[in-house]
Amino acid sequence: MQNFLANNEWAKNSSFDHFWRHYAVCDEWRKQHFEAVRQAQSHTREEPEVVERLSRCGIREEEEQEVENQEWHKFQQKTKEHRQKFTVHSTNTQNHGEHRDAAAEYTARKENARELYGAAAERILARESLLEMRFEEAYWSNPQMWPNIPFRF
């Protein structure tokens, strides 16, 4: 966190103070939660009643977590395959052997846009292209991930 603040001057602005206070509360909750889970798991071998309570709360044994990790790995592999299959073509893609006919694609898009949008087709295609270029710039620059903890509890 301190490293992030040191490298990003904009984050030190006082207008973000509320966000950083909230972030600190969420981070503290996360740490306490993981500590509670760790302590609960260390006691599971001793008390069968605790094991049942933990299973109801969603805290699972290591074997179940390993199976879940395998499923997660399969999901990640499938996602990677889909991204490679449907990737946006740019200089960063690794599909070197694949050639596409950009002129034919553009003509098809233009005809489809004329059917859908009529006289405004050129303007809408230009806006779509602009949005796609901005997305590619942001996507390939590895944007900072936003916290996934809700802002309001």
Side-chain angles (χ1 to χ4, degrees), residues 77-144:
Q77 285 297 103
K78 191 69 160 177
T79 301
K80 185 177 180 181
E81 291 171 12
H82 285 165
R83 284 183 181 161
Q84 288 175 348
K85 184 176 179 182
F86 298 107
T87 187
V88 177
H89 293 281
S90 73
T91 56
N92 295 353
T93 60
Q94 297 179 359
N95 300 334
H96 299 294
E98 191 176 304
H99 296 287
R100 62 184 195 150
D101 187 3
E105 287 179 19
Y106 178 72
T107 305
R109 281 186 69 192
K110 201 172 183 180
E111 289 173 9
N112 188 27
R114 277 195 190 121
E115 290 174 15
L116 294 172
Y117 309 119
E122 291 290 329
R123 185 178 40 150
I124 292 172
L125 279 176
R127 288 182 182 174
E128 281 182 4
S129 297
L130 179 65
L131 284 172
E132 287 176 9
M133 286 190 311
R134 287 182 181 166
F135 173 79
E136 285 183 23
E137 286 175 6
Y139 180 79
W140 292 115
S141 66
N142 296 324
Q144 181 76 26

Side-chain angles (χ1 to χ4, degrees), residues 22-23 25-27 29-30 149-153:
H22 181 75
Y23 182 87
V25 168
C26 293
D27 193 45
W29 174 88
R30 182 187 58 83
I149 299 173
F151 288 124
R152 295 181 185 213
F153 290 107

Side-chain angles (χ1 to χ4, degrees), residues 30-90:
R30 182 187 58 83
K31 289 175 185 175
Q32 289 174 357
H33 175 73
F34 284 124
E35 180 61 25
V37 169
R38 188 190 62 72
Q39 288 176 358
Q41 287 176 341
S42 68
H43 295 295
T44 58
R45 305 201 195 306
E46 301 166 9
E47 302 175 26
E49 184 181 314
V50 173
V51 173
E52 187 213 336
R53 285 187 194 167
L54 291 176
S55 65
R56 283 190 303 207
C57 295
I59 301 171
R60 294 175 286 280
E61 294 288 329
E62 290 178 9
E63 296 166 358
E64 292 178 25
Q65 289 177 353
E66 186 173 316
V67 169
E68 192 173 279
N69 287 342
Q70 290 172 351
E71 290 174 359
W72 178 250
H73 181 69
K74 287 178 186 176
F75 171 76
Q76 290 295 328
Q77 285 297 103
K78 191 69 160 177
T79 301
K80 185 177 180 181
E81 291 171 12
H82 285 165
R83 284 183 181 161
Q84 288 175 348
K85 184 176 179 182
F86 298 107
T87 187
V88 177
H89 293 281
S90 73

